[in-house]
Amino acid sequence: MVTKHPIPGGDEGMMTLGEGISIQLLGPIRAWRDGTEISLGPPKQRAVLALLASRVGDVVGIDRIIDAVWGSEIPRTATNGVHTYVAGLRCALDPGRSRRGSSSVIDSSAGGYCLRVSPEAVDVTRFTRGHAQARRARTESDTENALALYEDALALWHGEPFVGIPGPFAAMERTRLQDLRMTAIEEWASDMLQAGRHTEVVADLSEAAAQEPLREKLRWLLMLALYRCDRQAHALAVYTETRRLLSQELGIDPGVELRNLHQEILAGSAVSACREQPAPPPPASEPGGDSLPNHTPLPAQLPPLARGFVGRTAELSRLEQVLTDEGARPGADTPVAVLDGLAGVGKTAVVLEAARRLKDHFPDGQLFVDLGGTGLQGGFLSATEALAQLLRSLGVDGTRIPCDLAGRVSLYRSLLYGRRMLVVLDDALSADQLRPLIPRGTSCVLATSRRRLSGLAVRDGAHLIGIRPLSDLESAQLITYLGGDRLRGEQAAIMRLTRVCGGLPLALRSAVEGLTALHDVPPSTAAESYADPHGLLDRLTVEGDAAANLRTVFEASYQALPTEAARMFRYLGLHSGGAITVQQAATLADTSLARARDLLAQLANDHLLDRVADHRYRFHSLMAIYAAECARQEPKAHRDMALVRLLGEREDFGTHQAVREEEERLSQVR
């Protein structure tokens, strides 16, 4: 049995290289030097050693160490803490080093630290390579050698890996290594059953099934072993317990293989062991690295880009610089770029065009998640939900996805560590939603948001790139391309739509589609129907498609506003046009200058208002129409008083012609 093979728990068992250092990660973190166990210090110091030992020969950046040990709760003293822990490890692992001398065990290099020991000094390396050798022997039908190799590899385990070690990296490695161990046990047990040694595996399979009660393959093997030992009742009891656990914990029934075995046992049929061929093992040269699960295709999830992309030369150039130049610097952290702008301005299109142009820089694939920040598709995705989607895209089985946010973040970042993958996160709601989705290392993140996420720039170093409306020339180019023969040479119609749509690609596309549908009406005549602002948003509506409906996408931004900011937005809709000063906003909303200034800044950050100069703001022409519609939600008496305040008069409202004109304008807007 596995548990009866020699356990290298003593010093000699760990000393595979004779002299020098050896490290145990498959159980409590321990280390030996020349056969003498070393005191490794407090838990976080052991956590630093565990990380370095998992990346033997690689330089691990200080930021990566901080992230691995502290996760999202990083103290201000974290960097000093890392230096202190490394100094303690150097004293423990390299006691002969002079106080100012360089360490032969832990190097300082390129903004990080590197553990300089043989990979074979770490038990995880020996387990990984032993497991790979056993699988190769198995594929060659050398059962006897395969069983010996499996047993030698499994005998390296001394309990739960990384036990007592804090931090998200340790939690992730604990899960990953335990999964590898269970896979090895399953393969070993299958070969044992194939060899007719069913009695010897019952105890080990029972122990493993108790540790991983929802792992159906272990249960299948245990049922078969019990049946082979003439313990049919016990085998059926295992099935009953499995069905109960799966129903209670996951709300599912046992899989087909388990159900079929149950029926065969009930019928007393002869059951043979399933001897599947294992997938080729991962390269043994990276013992601590995670790999995408076998047979998982490289993700290529970017949605198609709408035809007719024009302009955006400066933005694309900036993105290329961020993602290629910065990402290529040694020791650089993950480049993050967030494109923000008004609803309908084409942020997603710019991101997808940049991703298309730069895809060769990311050979490990592209991930895409719609975070639903605007709520057009229902509720927005939480970071926990988005990570579940990303992990499934990376081939992680649903039953292996951690339940908690920290566990999912750790597994996700570990799977992407060392890979060049492009992660596109569309329609982000907030910085807090994005932060857990940012990997570490050589991958890159492109995101879009209707809000300017300043906190992500300040705390996480993200590049914020504002997307403005298209110029008149670019708008005309897009109209001409989309309109084809219908609008070729129709300069009057093209210029009319250009002025009406204010450079918003969504509005331009809707307008061209509207003109194209009126194929019996001359384009210049059809374009005149867009000249009147009253009802314009109706004419720029695509029925049955919320994402293509201009009023709907504006409304999603408005509905996301806090109560006070939404009220200010409605009162600004009473303004007749032109620049809005802080004084005018305060007067309309009947609030203080300081509060008006804050609310205007919030509306500008959410791209419902443009900041044109210090303390002066302006609506986009189409947003002004929508704001006027929203203003009608205020009671008429409140609107009247706001206009009276704006005009600076104190006498009866009915004597003010200007006020009546404002009300007339509002009455014509839906």
Side-chain angles (χ1 to χ4, degrees):
M1 296 192 299
V2 173
T3 53
K4 289 188 177 180
H5 279 266
I7 297 176
D11 301 344
E12 292 184 3
M14 289 299 299
M15 287 303 302
T16 59
L17 299 177
E19 296 184 349
I21 291 173
S22 53
I23 299 171
Q24 172 183 294
L25 302 180
L26 300 177
I29 304 299
R30 301 171 70 188
W32 291 259
R33 183 178 184 88
D34 297 332
T36 301
E37 185 164 1
I38 300 167
S39 176
L40 296 176
K44 282 188 171 63
Q45 186 163 299
R46 292 170 181 260
V48 173
L49 175 63
L51 174 61
L52 296 177
S54 297
R55 303 283 186 262
V56 168
D58 291 340
V59 176
V60 183
I62 291 176
D63 288 344
R64 166 71 172 158
I65 297 174
I66 291 172
D67 182 63
V69 175
W70 282 278
S72 59
E73 299 180 357
I74 302 174
R76 287 180 295 178
T77 58
T79 300
N80 289 336
V82 170
H83 296 319
T84 299
Y85 294 142
V86 169
L89 290 172
R90 282 171 168 167
C91 290
L93 299 173
D94 199 5
R97 179 180 67 96
S98 66
R99 186 172 183 180
R100 296 183 178 275
S102 60
S103 173
S104 61
V105 181
I106 302 180
D107 278 353
S108 301
S109 178
Y113 296 102
C114 176
L115 184 64
R116 300 292 185 186
V117 298
S118 168
E120 290 294 327
V122 182
D123 59 353
V124 171
T125 303
R126 297 200 302 281
F127 170 74
T128 303
R129 291 185 178 174
H131 185 200
Q133 291 168 357
R135 299 181 107 190
R136 278 192 286 270
R138 197 170 185 239
T139 59
E140 296 167 359
S141 299
D142 187 356
T143 302
E144 183 177 353
N145 186 34
L147 288 172
L149 289 167
Y150 276 121
E151 291 163 1
D152 287 344
L154 289 167
L156 293 169
W157 283 74
H158 307 101
E160 183 181 8
F162 286 74
V163 64
I165 301 302
F169 174 77
M172 175 280 304
E173 282 292 272
R174 200 174 294 122
T175 300
R176 183 185 74 87
L177 292 170
Q178 185 70 359
D179 186 66
L180 283 178
R181 177 174 177 259
M182 291 300 166
T183 299
I185 289 175
E186 289 169 351
E187 293 167 358
W188 166 80
S190 182
D191 280 1
M192 290 286 282
L193 291 171
Q194 191 76 20
R197 299 169 61 180
H198 35 268
T199 305
E200 300 175 56
V201 302
V202 170
D204 292 288
L205 285 173
S206 297
E207 181 183 354
Q211 294 173 3
E212 295 280 347
L214 301 179
R215 196 168 176 117
E216 290 191 50
K217 182 61 181 294
L218 281 175
R219 297 269 173 163
W220 189 95
L221 291 165
L222 177 57
M223 287 173 60
L224 180 57
L226 289 167
Y227 176 77
R228 294 271 189 86
C229 294
D230 296 326
R231 297 170 61 183
Q232 181 177 355
H234 291 90
L236 294 174
V238 170
Y239 178 82
T240 300
E241 181 189 26
T242 304
R243 183 174 59 185
R244 177 182 60 79
L245 285 170
L246 291 173
S247 176
Q248 288 180 349
E249 299 294 330
L250 304 177
I252 62 175
D253 292 324
V256 175
E257 291 184 357
L258 209 57
R259 295 200 305 269
N260 289 343
L261 178 59
H262 177 241
Q263 291 301 317
E264 290 177 357
I265 291 175
L266 286 173
S269 306
V271 185
S272 60
C274 175
R275 171 79 181 256
E276 77 280 356
Q277 294 299 320
S285 59
E286 299 183 25
D290 295 287
S291 60
L292 296 182
N294 292 321
H295 308 306
T296 300
L298 289 180
Q301 300 181 341
L302 298 180
L305 180 65
R307 66 187 181 94
F309 185 88
V310 298
R312 311 303 193 190
T313 303
E315 293 91 340
L316 290 170
S317 176
R318 174 88 184 278
L319 285 173
E320 182 175 3
Q321 179 183 13
V322 168
L323 298 190
T324 57
D325 295 351
E326 182 174 316
R329 291 205 309 268
D333 211 343
T334 304
V336 179
V338 183
L339 280 64
D340 57 75
L342 173 66
V345 81
K347 302 177 291 294
T348 302
V350 177
V351 163
L352 294 178
E353 176 65 15
R356 184 189 67 80
R357 296 185 183 190
L358 299 171
K359 66 178 182 178
D360 290 342
H361 292 271
F362 304 98
D364 294 316
Q366 311 96 38
L367 295 167
F368 180 88
V369 179
D370 182 354
L371 297 174
T374 57
L376 288 175
Q377 309 301 325
F380 66 88
L381 287 183
S382 67
T384 303
E385 293 168 331
L387 283 165
Q389 182 175 328
L390 287 164
L391 289 171
R392 285 193 293 269
S393 299
L394 293 169
V396 179
D397 187 84
T399 61
R400 306 303 302 166
I401 295 177
C403 295
D404 62 307
L405 176 61
R408 292 183 181 187
V409 170
S410 297
L411 182 56
Y412 165 67
R413 289 176 176 170
S414 298
L415 287 172
L416 263 60
Y417 184 77
R419 294 180 173 81
R420 287 195 61 79
M421 192 172 286
L422 181 62
V423 182
V424 178
L425 304 170
D426 194 32
D427 197 13
L429 178 66
S430 65
D432 288 338
Q433 185 190 33
L434 274 182
R435 280 193 183 100
L437 311 182
I438 300 174
R440 296 291 182 262
T442 53
S443 292
C444 295
V445 173
L446 279 179
T448 69
S449 178
R450 294 188 186 180
R451 297 172 173 172
R452 185 168 179 83
L453 305 181
S454 300
L456 205 67
V458 172
R459 177 176 161 185
D460 304 272
H463 299 266
L464 305 184
I465 301 175
I467 303 298
R468 304 289 299 170
L470 296 172
S471 67
D472 286 351
L473 177 59
E474 292 166 341
S475 297
Q477 289 173 341
L478 179 59
I479 293 170
T480 302
Y481 177 85
L482 296 174
D485 293 339
R486 169 76 167 150
L487 293 178
R488 185 168 290 114
E490 297 285 347
Q491 292 302 313
I494 291 172
M495 294 312 298
R496 169 70 67 188
L497 295 186
T498 295
R499 287 193 296 271
V500 164
C501 295
L504 288 189
L506 181 60
L508 290 163
R509 291 176 182 276
S510 295
V512 172
E513 171 58 25
L515 257 66
T516 304
L518 298 174
H519 48 81
D520 294 332
V521 181
S524 58
T525 303
E528 286 300 318
S529 66
Y530 290 87
D532 186 356
H534 307 305
L536 178 57
L537 295 185
D538 289 330
R539 287 187 286 278
L540 295 176
T541 293
V542 178
E543 295 296 336
D545 190 343
N549 186 330
L550 196 65
R551 180 184 282 110
T552 302
V553 298
F554 283 173
E555 183 178 7
S557 296
Y558 166 70
Q559 292 292 344
L561 290 171
T563 301
E564 209 173 348
R567 178 179 178 274
M568 173 62 81
F569 180 81
R570 293 192 297 272
Y571 276 105
L572 293 179
L574 297 171
H575 196 270
S576 59
I580 304 168
T581 66
V582 176
Q583 179 64 61
Q584 289 172 329
T587 300
L588 279 168
D590 196 19
T591 189
S592 68
L593 285 173
R595 189 59 187 145
R597 187 177 296 109
D598 291 343
L599 293 172
L600 289 171
Q602 180 171 4
L603 292 172
N605 284 338
D606 287 0
H607 293 288
L608 289 163
L609 200 61
D610 292 329
R611 185 182 286 107
V612 294
D614 286 345
H615 311 307
R616 296 176 72 83
Y617 299 84
R618 185 190 304 273
F619 278 122
H620 183 277
S621 58
L622 294 175
M623 185 62 78
I625 296 173
Y626 177 72
E629 291 182 4
C630 291
R632 291 180 61 96
Q633 298 174 20
E634 289 293 316
K636 185 177 184 302
H638 293 183
R639 299 198 305 266
D640 292 348
M641 289 305 301
L643 291 170
V644 167
R645 290 193 300 270
L646 184 63
L647 293 171
E649 300 289 342
R650 297 300 184 202
E651 56 190 57
D652 182 69
F653 173 73
T655 65
H656 297 284
Q657 180 64 29
V659 173
R660 287 199 293 271
E661 291 174 357
E662 284 291 324
E663 276 297 294
E664 176 66 21
R665 179 179 69 85
L666 288 171
S667 69
Q668 295 175 352
V669 177
R670 284 189 57 197

